Amino acid sequence: MVKLQTVRGTYDLYGSRKQKMKQVLAIGENVVENYGFEEIETPIFEFTEVFARNLGDTSDIVTKEMYSFEDKSGESLTLRPEGTAGIVRAFVSNGMQQNLPVKLYYHGPMFRYERPQKGRQRQFTQFGVELLGVDTPQADIEVIAMAYDFLQKLGLSHQVTVEINSLGDKESRDNYRQKLVDYLQNHIDELSEDSRVRLDKNPLRVLDSKEQCDKQVIENAPLYADSLNETSQKFFAQVLAGLDLLGIKYHVNNRLVRGLDYYNHTVFELVTDELGAQGTVLAGGRYNGLVEQMGGDNIAGIGWACGVERLSMLLDKEPDVKRPIAIIPIGEKAEKKSLEIAYQLRCAGLKIDQSYTGNLKKRMIKANKINAQSAIILGDDELAQGEIVVKNLDSGEQKKIALKRLIEEFK
Ligand code: ATP
Ligand code: MG
C-alpha cells in the first residue's frame, strides 16, 4: 500500500490557508516592487557546498537541518534551506556585479530538517529581498523600512517589534570574540555539549543557542556594543537615526546575533509574541563579505527573509476573494445554452460558477453556499423569448432581462 500521508513537517496547501499565503505574497511583491526590487528565481537545489561553505559549518542549518543527497552521478546536492546563498551564487555566476546596485526579491519553498511545531515546518515558504552593492547605512534603513511597510500593509505592524543590533565590522567582531571566549572559558562546565564544540569552532554561535543552560550563561556574557570600534558605532548610529527619521520604532537588542556566519554590522528581526517560540516572522542583516567569499568582488549586501506561513497565521481576516455569479439552468435546452453563456461571460472576465447537476432548489442552495453574489436562472420558456432571470442573492430581488444585455448587466 502507498502511504497516503505527507512526510512529517510537510503540508498540502489549499483552501483558506493557501489564500492567506497568496495574499501575503501579493502584498509583499507589491511593496518591494515599489522600492525597485525585481524578482529572481533560482533552482530549488544547488551543489551542497553553496550552503555548507557559506552559512557556516557550525550553524544549526549546516550541522543538523540540511536535506542533502547524492544524485545519480554522485554529485552532492542540497534542497535549499534559505535563499541568500543561492541568490549570491546567481549574482556572481551571471555577472550581475557589472551593474550595481542590484535589488532582487524571491519567494518559494525552503527545506530544513527540524522538529515540526506550530509555525515550524520541514518545507516552508520564504519571501525575501537582497540589496547588493550599497555599503552605506541608507541601504540598511531602506530595507528595514521596506519590511516595516510590508507588515503595515498586512495590518500586522502593531503586533510586531523591530529588534535590531550591530555586529560591527571584522575588527569589532574579532575584538568581541576574544572577550567572549575568555568569559565562556570561565563557565565551560555550565555549557551544553553543542556549545562547548561551538566555543572551539565559532564562539559567537553560542549566543544563538536555544538550550536553557546556555541561555543562563549567555545572560551575563559581555555585551557586543562594548566591543564595537568607532567606525561600526558610527554606522549603527546612522542606521538608527534613519529609522527615527522615518518614525519606525525599534528596540536595540544587544543579544541579537543571528545564526549564520555571513552577517556583519546591522542584524534585525521582526518579532511577535503570538506564535510562541516561533515568534520571529522576518529576519535579516548585512553580509558584506559574502559575495567575495563566493568568488565575486568585494561587494556589500543586505537582505531579509520572512516566513510566509508564520505571517499568514497572524492574519485573522479571510482575504477578499471575488464572489462568483452562479448560472442555473432548468430544462434540457437551458442546460445546453448555459454552457455557451457561461463561456461567453467568462471570456468577458466574469467569475462564473456552473452547477453541474440538481434541481432548482438544490442549485440555489449550492449558489448561496459558495457565496455567489447573484444567480442567472435559465428556463426553457424564457429562453424561447430571448430572456433570462437574474436574482441578486443578497437582496433576493429578481428581474427578467434580455439575454443579449447580459454582459452589460454585470460589467
Ligand atoms: P528560528 O529561530 O525560528 O529557527 P531562523 O533564525 O532559523 O528562525 P531564518 O533562517 O532567519 O530563521 O529564516 C527567516 C524566517 O523564515 C524566520 O524568521 C521564519 O519566519 C521563517 N522560518 C525559518 N525556519 C522555518 C521553519 N522551519 N518553518 C517555518 N518558517 C520558518
Ligand atoms: Mg531555525
Side-chain angles (χ1 to χ4, degrees), residues 60-61 65 112 114 120 210 310:
D60 278 353
I61 291 185
E65 298 174 0
R112 297 183 192 178
E114 44 184 340
R120 190 178 295 286
K210 288 175 177 123
R310 286 190 196 177

Side-chain angles (χ1 to χ4, degrees), residues 11-214:
Y11 299 90
D12 300 312
L13 292 170
Y14 60 93
S16 87
R17 219 180 192 178
K18 181 68 185 175
Q19 287 300 333
K20 284 184 178 179
M21 287 176 64
K22 267 175 78 162
Q23 190 191 24
V24 169
L25 287 173
I27 292 175
E29 291 190 334
N30 195 278
V31 169
V32 305
E33 283 183 2
N34 279 345
Y35 290 74
F37 284 67
E38 282 179 24
E39 185 165 5
I40 182 171
E41 190 173 332
T42 61
I44 284 176
F45 51 91
E46 299 262 358
F47 292 116
T48 296
E49 61 178 21
V50 170
F51 307 110
R53 287 234 314 261
N54 296 300
L55 308 187
D57 51 15
T58 54
S59 64
D60 278 353
I61 291 185
V62 174
T63 54
K64 304 178 203 156
E65 298 174 0
M66 293 208 304
Y67 278 94
S68 301
F69 58 96
E70 261 186 24
D71 73 1
K72 292 190 197 305
S73 64
E75 204 75 73
S76 177
L77 307 179
T78 294
L79 298 183
R80 64 183 182 196
E82 56 101 58
T84 304
I87 285 175
V88 172
R89 196 268 312 134
F91 172 79
V92 176
S93 53
N94 293 289
M96 295 185 212
Q97 333 188 41
Q98 302 311 320
N99 212 348
L100 298 173
V102 168
K103 299 172 164 192
L104 300 169
Y105 77 83
Y106 63 93
H107 57 82
M110 305 292 162
F111 306 84
R112 297 183 192 178
Y113 186 80
E114 44 184 340
R115 195 165 70 79
Q117 295 163 64
K118 182 181 177 193
R120 190 178 295 286
Q121 302 98 244
R122 290 182 174 175
Q123 176 176 332
F124 60 101
T125 312
Q126 277 188 345
F127 170 74
V129 299
E130 314 293 351
L131 169 47
L132 292 135
V134 185
D135 62 4
T136 58
Q138 270 169 295
D140 307 52
I141 299 161
E142 190 174 65
V143 298
I144 295 171
M146 189 164 69
Y148 191 78
D149 183 358
F150 170 39
L151 290 222
Q152 213 159 15
K153 297 223 162 74
L154 285 172
L156 299 174
S157 55
H158 62 286
Q159 327 179 9
V160 298
T161 319
V162 180
E163 304 264 335
I164 188 167
N165 195 21
S166 172
L167 305 180
D169 55 11
K170 184 164 185 316
E171 186 188 63
S172 309
R173 198 164 167 146
D174 291 345
N175 208 340
Y176 180 69
R177 183 185 289 120
Q178 197 47 55
K179 284 192 208 166
L180 182 67
V181 169
D182 294 344
Y183 169 81
L184 293 176
Q185 286 292 357
N186 285 329
H187 293 83
I188 192 150
D189 297 337
E190 298 153 57
L191 292 176
S192 70
E193 221 172 281
D194 275 356
S195 284
R196 276 180 232 163
V197 175
R198 294 183 184 118
L199 178 53
D200 267 351
K201 286 195 177 169
N202 190 344
L204 289 181
R205 178 77 18 81
V206 176
L207 298 178
D208 208 33
S209 168
K210 288 175 177 123
E211 299 280 343
Q212 205 47 49
C213 58
D214 293 333

